[in-house]
Amino acid sequence: MTANEWVEVVTITVTVFALYSSALAWLVGQNGKLRSETKKDFERLEGKESIDIGALRIEMGTRIDGVEHNADRILDKAQAVESKARHDLANTMQTGLFALQQQVNQLRDGSATKPELAAVEQRLSAALNEFKVEARAEFGKIEQKVDRLPAMEAQLGGLTRVLDTISTALSQRGLTL
């Protein structure tokens, strides 16, 4: 090979290395640019996720407060109905006993005949039967109100399980509820 050919080979080699290093520098620049864009996108997504989690927290808190408020209101209503039913039963029983006491006093004070005693016995039996029917009806109403409590407890338990699941998922991501 002549000296000119060697110069041409070296020139071509240097040119190829220059093109290669330019291409490599361009690729490194593109890689850095892509990394910074990816980092910005990731930070934006993390910010959006934290906003979504905050909104979810607020929504779940509102739902829980609503359920608790409804449960308290239903329990208060059930207690008021139960109290009124007990009060009504006590009044009915007191009225019945007072009427019976008056009839017994009247029988004791006067000499009662057999038909009068039979009539008093029938009235006593009727009053007792009426009291039993009213007591069964009132206790049935109370029982219906109390039977709803397990369903409400199950609903609250389900909501608690959902919150536990969400909390577990968030903690696995390194976030807290």
Side-chain angles (χ1 to χ4, degrees), residues 93-163:
M93 189 169 156
Q94 186 177 11
T95 303
L97 288 174
F98 183 70
L100 290 175
Q101 182 66 40
Q102 283 181 335
Q103 289 176 359
V104 168
N105 287 341
Q106 288 173 354
L107 289 174
R108 190 177 28 163
D109 292 342
S111 54
T113 63
K114 209 168 194 164
E116 289 174 333
L117 289 175
V120 169
E121 184 179 348
Q122 286 176 349
R123 283 191 299 239
L124 285 173
S125 179
L128 185 59
N129 287 336
E130 183 181 339
F131 176 73
K132 285 180 184 177
V133 168
E134 286 180 19
R136 283 189 194 119
E138 291 301 320
F139 282 121
K141 289 177 187 176
I142 292 170
E143 185 176 350
Q144 286 176 352
K145 299 288 183 189
V146 172
D147 284 346
R148 287 190 225 160
L149 294 177
M152 290 184 337
E153 288 175 357
Q155 184 181 13
L156 285 172
L159 187 58
T160 302
R161 285 191 297 278
V162 167
L163 286 175

XYZ file of all heavy atoms in Angstrom, residues 93-163:
547
model
N -101.406 -3.085 81.446
C -101.400 -4.020 82.579
C -101.882 -3.321 83.847
O -102.686 -3.874 84.608
C -99.992 -4.573 82.779
C -99.894 -5.694 83.754
S -98.251 -6.395 83.609
C -98.092 -7.104 85.201
N -101.413 -2.089 84.075
C -101.822 -1.353 85.263
C -103.330 -1.063 85.232
O -104.020 -1.225 86.247
C -101.044 -0.044 85.346
C -101.299 0.731 86.625
C -100.446 1.999 86.680
O -99.828 2.390 85.700
N -100.425 2.615 87.843
N -103.843 -0.667 84.066
C -105.277 -0.398 83.932
C -106.079 -1.668 84.190
O -107.087 -1.656 84.915
C -105.594 0.146 82.523
O -104.813 1.312 82.305
C -107.052 0.478 82.374
N -105.626 -2.779 83.601
C -106.318 -4.054 83.802
C -106.308 -4.491 85.254
O -107.333 -4.937 85.788
N -105.160 -4.368 85.887
C -105.065 -4.762 87.293
C -105.929 -3.864 88.179
O -106.560 -4.337 89.136
C -103.610 -4.720 87.762
C -102.705 -5.812 87.213
C -101.259 -5.574 87.643
C -103.170 -7.179 87.673
N -105.969 -2.566 87.875
C -106.797 -1.649 88.644
C -108.281 -2.018 88.501
O -109.025 -2.046 89.504
C -106.562 -0.204 88.180
C -107.321 0.807 88.971
C -106.982 1.087 90.288
C -108.393 1.495 88.398
C -107.685 2.033 91.019
C -109.101 2.430 89.122
C -108.747 2.704 90.435
N -108.701 -2.324 87.268
C -110.097 -2.717 87.036
C -110.417 -4.016 87.780
O -111.492 -4.164 88.392
C -110.365 -2.860 85.548
N -109.487 -4.958 87.747
C -109.690 -6.233 88.453
C -109.777 -6.007 89.965
O -110.605 -6.610 90.659
C -108.557 -7.209 88.139
C -108.514 -7.763 86.722
C -107.275 -8.615 86.544
C -109.754 -8.574 86.437
N -108.910 -5.120 90.464
C -108.919 -4.826 91.893
C -110.264 -4.221 92.305
O -110.829 -4.581 93.346
C -107.775 -3.848 92.250
C -107.673 -3.534 93.719
C -107.281 -4.758 94.537
O -106.448 -5.549 94.123
N -107.881 -4.922 95.706
N -110.796 -3.325 91.476
C -112.097 -2.733 91.776
C -113.196 -3.794 91.788
O -114.059 -3.794 92.672
C -112.447 -1.648 90.739
C -111.712 -0.358 90.950
C -112.113 0.670 89.911
O -112.558 0.343 88.820
N -111.963 1.934 90.278
N -113.150 -4.690 90.818
C -114.173 -5.738 90.771
C -114.073 -6.667 91.975
O -115.085 -7.047 92.574
C -114.060 -6.535 89.468
C -114.485 -5.748 88.255
C -114.271 -6.524 86.969
O -113.780 -7.648 86.987
N -114.640 -5.915 85.855
N -112.842 -7.007 92.334
C -112.657 -7.878 93.503
C -113.143 -7.169 94.763
O -113.811 -7.782 95.622
C -111.167 -8.306 93.626
C -110.882 -8.952 94.966
C -110.802 -9.249 92.491
N -112.844 -5.880 94.917
C -113.305 -5.108 96.084
C -114.829 -5.057 96.129
O -115.431 -5.181 97.205
C -112.735 -3.690 96.059
C -111.259 -3.672 96.398
O -110.735 -4.624 96.981
N -110.579 -2.598 96.014
N -115.455 -4.859 94.982
C -116.910 -4.816 94.938
C -117.510 -6.162 95.340
O -118.505 -6.224 96.070
C -117.407 -4.439 93.529
C -117.179 -2.986 93.178
C -117.531 -2.705 91.717
O -117.837 -3.604 90.945
N -117.470 -1.427 91.356
N -116.888 -7.237 94.865
C -117.384 -8.572 95.225
C -117.197 -8.841 96.713
O -118.036 -9.455 97.368
C -116.680 -9.649 94.408
C -117.042 -9.718 92.922
C -116.165 -10.730 92.221
C -118.500 -10.081 92.750
N -116.084 -8.388 97.246
C -115.802 -8.619 98.660
C -116.753 -7.808 99.548
O -117.218 -8.283 100.569
C -114.349 -8.239 98.952
C -113.895 -8.658 100.329
C -112.461 -8.332 100.555
N -112.083 -7.166 99.737
C -111.021 -6.424 99.910
N -110.196 -6.732 100.846
N -110.751 -5.400 99.166
N -117.003 -6.569 99.157
C -117.863 -5.695 99.958
C -119.321 -6.152 99.943
O -120.029 -6.013 100.945
C -117.798 -4.252 99.448
C -116.428 -3.633 99.695
O -115.678 -4.177 100.535
O -116.101 -2.626 99.035
N -119.771 -6.642 98.846
C -121.169 -7.094 98.774
C -121.208 -8.604 98.656
O -120.213 -9.265 98.414
N -122.350 -9.131 98.888
C -122.465 -10.575 98.734
C -122.794 -10.841 97.273
O -123.864 -10.497 96.787
C -123.533 -11.135 99.656
O -124.751 -10.459 99.438
N -121.856 -11.415 96.577
C -122.006 -11.650 95.144
C -122.717 -12.966 94.908
O -122.538 -13.944 95.622
C -120.644 -11.673 94.495
N -123.513 -12.967 93.888
C -124.216 -14.202 93.506
C -123.351 -14.978 92.531
O -122.349 -14.462 92.009
C -125.569 -13.866 92.851
O -125.303 -13.137 91.654
C -126.436 -13.059 93.794
N -123.767 -16.203 92.301
C -123.002 -17.057 91.403
C -122.938 -16.478 89.984
O -121.870 -16.490 89.378
C -123.634 -18.457 91.393
C -122.636 -19.526 91.109
C -123.227 -20.889 91.401
C -122.063 -21.829 91.433
N -122.265 -23.062 91.999
N -124.043 -15.961 89.437
C -123.942 -15.363 88.100
C -123.006 -14.147 88.070
O -122.292 -13.926 87.092
C -125.371 -14.948 87.762
C -126.252 -15.779 88.634
C -125.444 -16.075 89.861
N -122.988 -13.347 89.153
C -122.081 -12.207 89.194
C -120.630 -12.669 89.206
O -119.774 -12.094 88.537
C -122.360 -11.349 90.435
C -123.661 -10.573 90.363
C -123.956 -9.849 91.661
O -123.506 -10.309 92.731
O -124.648 -8.825 91.607
N -120.369 -13.730 89.995
C -119.007 -14.278 90.025
C -118.615 -14.827 88.661
O -117.469 -14.651 88.213
C -118.894 -15.365 91.088
C -118.929 -14.896 92.547
C -118.927 -16.095 93.489
C -117.721 -14.027 92.834
N -119.524 -15.497 87.979
C -119.246 -16.036 86.647
C -118.959 -14.894 85.664
O -118.051 -14.993 84.819
C -120.418 -16.885 86.158
N -119.725 -13.795 85.780
C -119.509 -12.649 84.895
C -118.144 -12.023 85.145
O -117.407 -11.663 84.208
C -120.617 -11.626 85.088
N -117.774 -11.889 86.415
C -116.455 -11.331 86.753
C -115.354 -12.245 86.232
O -114.346 -11.793 85.683
C -116.332 -11.113 88.277
C -114.898 -10.794 88.672
C -117.266 -10.005 88.732
N -115.542 -13.555 86.384
C -114.546 -14.516 85.901
C -114.393 -14.402 84.388
O -113.268 -14.431 83.869
C -114.968 -15.942 86.281
C -113.932 -16.984 85.904
C -114.361 -18.384 86.311
O -115.323 -18.547 87.071
O -113.700 -19.312 85.843
N -115.487 -14.244 83.675
C -115.418 -14.087 82.214
C -114.696 -12.795 81.837
O -113.883 -12.772 80.904
C -116.821 -14.102 81.611
C -117.457 -15.475 81.592
C -118.894 -15.427 81.059
O -119.473 -14.354 80.888
N -119.448 -16.594 80.803
N -114.998 -11.715 82.551
C -114.318 -10.448 82.273
C -112.825 -10.554 82.566
O -111.988 -10.041 81.820
C -114.942 -9.321 83.100
C -116.268 -8.831 82.528
C -116.681 -7.566 83.218
N -116.864 -7.827 84.641
C -117.984 -7.639 85.322
N -119.034 -7.134 84.721
N -118.069 -7.929 86.586
N -112.491 -11.249 83.666
C -111.072 -11.447 83.994
C -110.381 -12.254 82.900
O -109.261 -11.925 82.468
C -110.923 -12.156 85.335
C -111.183 -11.325 86.586
C -111.167 -12.236 87.817
C -110.139 -10.250 86.720
N -111.014 -13.313 82.463
C -110.450 -14.162 81.414
C -110.289 -13.376 80.115
O -109.255 -13.463 79.443
C -111.348 -15.380 81.207
O -110.824 -16.179 80.179
N -111.302 -12.579 79.747
C -111.239 -11.785 78.519
C -110.128 -10.735 78.614
O -109.375 -10.513 77.650
C -112.582 -11.121 78.244
N -110.032 -10.087 79.770
C -108.995 -9.062 79.950
C -107.603 -9.687 79.875
O -106.686 -9.130 79.260
C -109.178 -8.352 81.283
N -107.448 -10.858 80.489
C -106.160 -11.552 80.450
C -105.811 -11.966 79.022
O -104.671 -11.789 78.568
C -106.190 -12.769 81.384
C -104.878 -13.536 81.532
C -103.776 -12.612 82.055
C -105.047 -14.712 82.449
N -106.795 -12.508 78.306
C -106.550 -12.907 76.908
C -106.206 -11.695 76.040
O -105.306 -11.762 75.186
C -107.760 -13.643 76.334
C -107.896 -15.046 76.912
O -106.916 -15.618 77.374
N -109.103 -15.576 76.906
N -106.908 -10.582 76.239
C -106.627 -9.359 75.485
C -105.214 -8.867 75.779
O -104.469 -8.471 74.873
C -107.652 -8.280 75.836
C -107.473 -7.001 75.038
C -108.483 -5.944 75.433
O -109.542 -6.270 75.997
O -108.192 -4.765 75.166
N -104.836 -8.917 77.053
C -103.485 -8.505 77.428
C -102.443 -9.401 76.763
O -101.424 -8.922 76.264
C -103.334 -8.529 78.953
C -101.944 -8.207 79.403
C -101.456 -6.913 79.332
C -101.112 -9.210 79.884
C -100.172 -6.615 79.732
C -99.827 -8.915 80.286
C -99.352 -7.621 80.215
N -102.703 -10.716 76.737
C -101.762 -11.645 76.102
C -101.610 -11.332 74.608
O -100.505 -11.330 74.073
C -102.233 -13.088 76.284
C -102.028 -13.651 77.658
C -102.542 -15.081 77.714
C -102.450 -15.677 79.101
N -103.009 -17.041 79.147
N -102.729 -11.070 73.935
C -102.684 -10.759 72.504
C -101.911 -9.472 72.262
O -101.054 -9.396 71.371
C -104.125 -10.671 71.933
C -104.126 -10.071 70.531
C -104.783 -12.038 71.931
N -102.194 -8.435 73.059
C -101.483 -7.167 72.901
C -99.996 -7.336 73.187
O -99.147 -6.777 72.477
C -102.078 -6.114 73.837
C -103.418 -5.579 73.399
C -103.972 -4.535 74.360
O -103.186 -3.967 75.153
O -105.189 -4.292 74.304
N -99.679 -8.107 74.218
C -98.265 -8.325 74.559
C -97.556 -9.056 73.428
O -96.439 -8.691 73.044
C -98.157 -9.116 75.861
N -98.209 -10.095 72.867
C -97.588 -10.822 71.741
C -97.385 -9.899 70.540
O -96.341 -9.941 69.890
C -98.466 -12.005 71.335
C -98.351 -13.174 72.256
C -99.069 -14.397 71.703
N -99.209 -15.388 72.747
C -100.361 -15.854 73.201
N -101.491 -15.456 72.671
N -100.391 -16.743 74.160
N -98.371 -9.071 70.242
C -98.261 -8.154 69.110
C -97.128 -7.152 69.330
O -96.320 -6.903 68.423
C -99.586 -7.419 68.890
N -97.052 -6.584 70.522
C -96.006 -5.605 70.806
C -94.629 -6.248 70.795
O -93.672 -5.681 70.257
C -96.265 -4.909 72.151
C -97.470 -3.994 72.166
C -97.381 -2.871 71.140
O -96.284 -2.315 70.957
O -98.403 -2.579 70.516
N -94.516 -7.433 71.386
C -93.222 -8.113 71.370
C -92.852 -8.529 69.950
O -91.679 -8.540 69.584
C -93.216 -9.305 72.322
C -93.054 -8.910 73.764
C -94.020 -9.236 74.700
C -91.951 -8.195 74.191
C -93.890 -8.863 76.029
C -91.802 -7.815 75.514
C -92.775 -8.145 76.431
N -93.848 -8.862 69.120
C -93.580 -9.162 67.711
C -93.021 -7.957 66.981
O -92.086 -8.074 66.179
N -93.586 -6.774 67.259
C -93.083 -5.546 66.640
C -91.649 -5.273 67.081
O -90.801 -4.893 66.278
C -93.972 -4.358 67.000
C -95.334 -4.383 66.344
C -96.174 -3.209 66.820
C -97.607 -3.293 66.323
N -98.437 -2.212 66.871
N -91.406 -5.448 68.371
C -90.042 -5.230 68.894
C -89.080 -6.224 68.252
O -87.970 -5.867 67.853
C -90.033 -5.354 70.435
C -90.812 -4.190 71.064
C -88.607 -5.396 70.973
C -91.063 -4.346 72.546
N -89.507 -7.465 68.121
C -88.654 -8.493 67.536
C -88.323 -8.166 66.079
O -87.192 -8.364 65.646
C -89.360 -9.852 67.612
C -88.511 -11.011 67.147
C -89.210 -12.345 67.325
O -90.269 -12.402 67.965
O -88.681 -13.326 66.814
N -89.278 -7.628 65.327
C -89.015 -7.240 63.937
C -87.956 -6.152 63.874
O -87.088 -6.173 63.008
C -90.294 -6.735 63.265
C -91.274 -7.820 62.926
C -92.572 -7.246 62.356
O -92.770 -6.044 62.355
N -93.429 -8.128 61.895
N -88.020 -5.200 64.798
C -87.024 -4.131 64.805
C -85.651 -4.678 65.156
O -84.649 -4.300 64.572
C -87.408 -3.033 65.816
C -88.708 -2.349 65.528
C -88.590 -1.449 64.344
C -89.912 -0.734 64.131
N -89.954 -0.009 62.899
N -85.602 -5.576 66.117
C -84.324 -6.127 66.571
C -83.742 -7.073 65.528
O -82.525 -7.178 65.383
C -84.507 -6.831 67.939
C -83.266 -7.569 68.357
C -84.882 -5.807 68.999
N -84.601 -7.738 64.729
C -84.111 -8.660 63.707
C -83.320 -7.952 62.621
O -82.523 -8.580 61.926
C -85.279 -9.426 63.059
C -85.812 -10.530 63.961
O -85.119 -10.877 64.945
O -86.908 -11.047 63.691
N -83.490 -6.648 62.443
C -82.743 -5.910 61.430
C -81.308 -5.634 61.865
O -80.456 -5.347 61.042
C -83.435 -4.587 61.129
C -84.686 -4.754 60.345
C -85.183 -3.417 59.891
N -86.605 -3.350 60.120
C -87.301 -2.259 60.205
N -86.713 -1.106 60.076
N -88.591 -2.286 60.415
N -81.027 -5.696 63.145
C -79.689 -5.365 63.643
C -78.603 -6.282 63.073
O -77.547 -5.787 62.672
C -79.669 -5.376 65.175
C -80.526 -4.289 65.838
C -80.482 -4.440 67.346
C -80.067 -2.913 65.437
N -78.788 -7.604 62.998
C -77.724 -8.427 62.404
C -77.432 -8.066 60.948
O -76.276 -8.097 60.524
C -78.277 -9.859 62.514
C -79.238 -9.814 63.649
C -79.833 -8.438 63.600
N -78.458 -7.692 60.183
C -78.232 -7.290 58.793
C -77.393 -6.011 58.729
O -76.487 -5.891 57.900
C -79.565 -7.086 58.077
N -77.682 -5.074 59.623
C -76.903 -3.837 59.644
C -75.467 -4.132 60.072
O -74.521 -3.572 59.513
C -77.543 -2.810 60.579
C -78.843 -2.267 60.028
S -79.671 -0.953 60.965
C -79.106 -1.083 62.599
N -75.290 -5.016 61.043
C -73.941 -5.381 61.475
C -73.191 -6.062 60.340
O -71.998 -5.821 60.132
C -74.007 -6.298 62.692
C -74.420 -5.589 63.966
C -74.593 -6.549 65.136
O -74.443 -7.769 64.946
O -74.882 -6.067 66.243
N -73.875 -6.914 59.558
C -73.239 -7.581 58.425
C -72.826 -6.559 57.369
O -71.742 -6.661 56.782
C -74.188 -8.609 57.819
N -73.666 -5.559 57.129
C -73.340 -4.515 56.159
C -72.113 -3.734 56.610
O -71.208 -3.467 55.825
C -74.520 -3.580 55.975
C -74.301 -2.529 54.906
C -75.492 -1.594 54.752
O -76.382 -1.576 55.590
N -75.497 -0.819 53.701
N -72.056 -3.374 57.891
C -70.889 -2.669 58.408
C -69.640 -3.548 58.336
O -68.544 -3.067 58.041
C -71.136 -2.208 59.844
C -72.062 -1.005 60.003
C -72.366 -0.775 61.475
C -71.455 0.226 59.392
N -69.806 -4.843 58.599
C -68.680 -5.770 58.493
C -68.162 -5.855 57.065
O -66.955 -5.889 56.832
N -69.079 -5.881 56.094
C -68.680 -5.910 54.688
C -67.926 -4.654 54.296
O -66.919 -4.702 53.592
N -68.397 -3.527 54.766
C -67.728 -2.261 54.483
C -66.340 -2.238 55.113
O -65.377 -1.781 54.499
C -68.576 -1.102 54.999
C -68.110 0.294 54.644
C -68.022 0.471 53.139
C -69.057 1.318 55.228
N -66.227 -2.769 56.300
C -64.922 -2.845 56.974
C -63.963 -3.742 56.187
O -62.788 -3.409 56.024
C -65.106 -3.386 58.404
O -65.995 -2.521 59.113
C -63.776 -3.462 59.135
N -64.482 -4.868 55.669
C -63.625 -5.763 54.867
C -63.146 -5.068 53.598
O -61.993 -5.211 53.200
C -64.366 -7.053 54.540
C -64.481 -8.005 55.718
C -64.991 -9.377 55.299
N -66.335 -9.344 54.741
C -67.462 -9.318 55.444
N -67.403 -9.331 56.761
N -68.630 -9.286 54.852
N -64.017 -4.291 52.953
C -63.619 -3.562 51.747
C -62.525 -2.556 52.080
O -61.527 -2.445 51.364
C -64.844 -2.848 51.117
C -64.417 -1.851 50.062
C -65.800 -3.858 50.510
N -62.699 -1.846 53.189
C -61.675 -0.883 53.597
C -60.360 -1.571 53.935
O -59.282 -1.061 53.617
C -62.160 -0.058 54.783
C -63.215 0.991 54.440
C -63.698 1.660 55.715
C -62.669 2.011 53.492
